[in-house]
Amino acid sequence: MIENNQKYWNEGYWKRVINNQKNSFKNKNWIDKYKEIINKVEGNSAVDLGCGIGQDTKWLIDNGFDVISCDISNIALEKLKELIPNSKTLQIDIRETLPFKNNSINLVNADLSIHYFCMKDTIRIFNEINRILTPKGILIGRVNSDKNEGYIREETKVIEDNYYYDFEKYFRLFNKGQFDILAKDWKIIVLNEDVITRVNKKKVLWEFIFQKI
Ligand SMILES: C[S@@+](CC[C@H](N)C(=O)[O-])C[C@H]1O[C@@H](n2cnc3c(N)ncnc32)[C@H](O)[C@@H]1O
């Protein structure tokens, strides 16, 4: 099974989003409300996993981080380079071993980018992030909640518990039970279920900040 490969992200997503000119940065970034926690992070090395065109990369740079922006989509990374000329980008598939040394990164951001995988890969991604973080380093991110409406319909294919295929993509919907598994080796600083509006639609998300013990 090859889930949401590079072709999907380039052609099924980023070409469409960039053509629709949804490619500028919002004034207010969701990370803002966690600024106090982020200011306490020791060191300034950061990795933005599944960075897209760099909405959060920009916030992290503006807040003093030295960021490596990673994505599977070369089209998104090219746009990011255009929008943030001095940025550092890396084209990677986050299902593979992350190309960073053990205990080397102070902050990892994964915003709406790690809810596309089967549980085995999701656990592996959390373990990989834990490996590259420095002790007390933090992982911050958001994922879709299973309370979202309209994601599952009659024709939606169930791949495994909480993991689906529909609308031409694989996707995972999170509940607390999955975080009990994923966060068991982390200190939980924030774990909130929140309702936002994104692209004019109501979206229920889990926001999390986990610290490496
Ligand atoms: C919904 S977008 C979110 C982008 C950005 N973080 C934001 O919030 O604006 C999901 C991003 O994850 C990236 N992505 C999805 N699967 C990936 C994978 N296996 N490896 C690396 N990046 C991936 C996509 O290319 C896309 O840029």
Side-chain angles (χ1 to χ4, degrees), residues 3-6 8-10 13-14 26 30 48-57 70-74 76-77 90-96 109-117 125 142 198 203:
E3 306 130 313
N4 309 339
N5 57 14
Q6 191 197 41
Y8 166 78
W9 284 106
N10 272 344
Y13 190 85
W14 282 113
K26 294 180 211 113
W30 72 279
D48 190 3
L49 282 184
C51 57
I53 60 173
Q55 181 82 41
D56 294 349
T57 292
C70 303
D71 205 284
I72 198 168
S73 165
N74 54 303
L77 293 176
L90 208 53
Q91 188 185 345
I92 63 163
D93 185 333
I94 54 181
R95 287 166 286 203
E96 291 168 8
N109 177 54
D111 186 30
L112 306 176
S113 58
I114 50 175
H115 50 202
Y116 299 108
F117 312 110
I125 290 167
R142 297 187 296 183
R198 189 173 152 101
K203 212 169 166 43

Side-chain angles (χ1 to χ4, degrees), residues 16-146:
R16 183 170 42 87
V17 175
I18 290 170
N19 284 343
N20 288 344
Q21 298 188 324
K22 288 178 196 137
N23 52 13
S24 55
F25 297 140
K26 294 180 211 113
N27 292 332
K28 187 134 179 70
N29 190 297
W30 72 279
I31 310 180
D32 259 332
K33 63 175 172 295
Y34 299 118
K35 203 169 169 167
E36 235 177 86
I37 298 174
I38 290 178
N39 278 344
K40 289 191 193 131
V41 171
E42 284 170 21
N44 73 338
S45 62
V47 167
D48 190 3
L49 282 184
C51 57
I53 60 173
Q55 181 82 41
D56 294 349
T57 292
K58 172 84 170 62
W59 188 95
L60 290 166
I61 292 173
D62 289 349
N63 284 274
F65 284 91
D66 182 16
V67 186
I68 303 173
S69 307
C70 303
D71 205 284
I72 198 168
S73 165
N74 54 303
I75 290 185
L77 293 176
E78 279 157 26
K79 191 75 202 172
L80 186 150
K81 275 269 178 206
E82 214 179 291
L83 295 167
I84 316 172
N86 295 323
S87 50
K88 298 175 196 165
T89 58
L90 208 53
Q91 188 185 345
I92 63 163
D93 185 333
I94 54 181
R95 287 166 286 203
E96 291 168 8
T97 301
L98 297 175
F100 305 104
K101 290 191 183 128
N102 296 353
N103 308 312
S104 61
I105 306 292
N106 304 118
L107 178 145
V108 170
N109 177 54
D111 186 30
L112 306 176
S113 58
I114 50 175
H115 50 202
Y116 299 108
F117 312 110
C118 66
M119 196 56 178
K120 188 169 161 251
D121 284 347
T122 308
I123 291 172
R124 183 174 143 76
I125 290 167
F126 272 76
N127 287 342
E128 268 297 284
I129 295 171
N130 195 290
R131 176 186 67 75
I132 66 170
L133 280 173
T134 51
K136 294 198 180 158
I138 67 164
L139 163 64
I140 176 165
R142 297 187 296 183
V143 288
N144 276 325
S145 157
D146 67 352

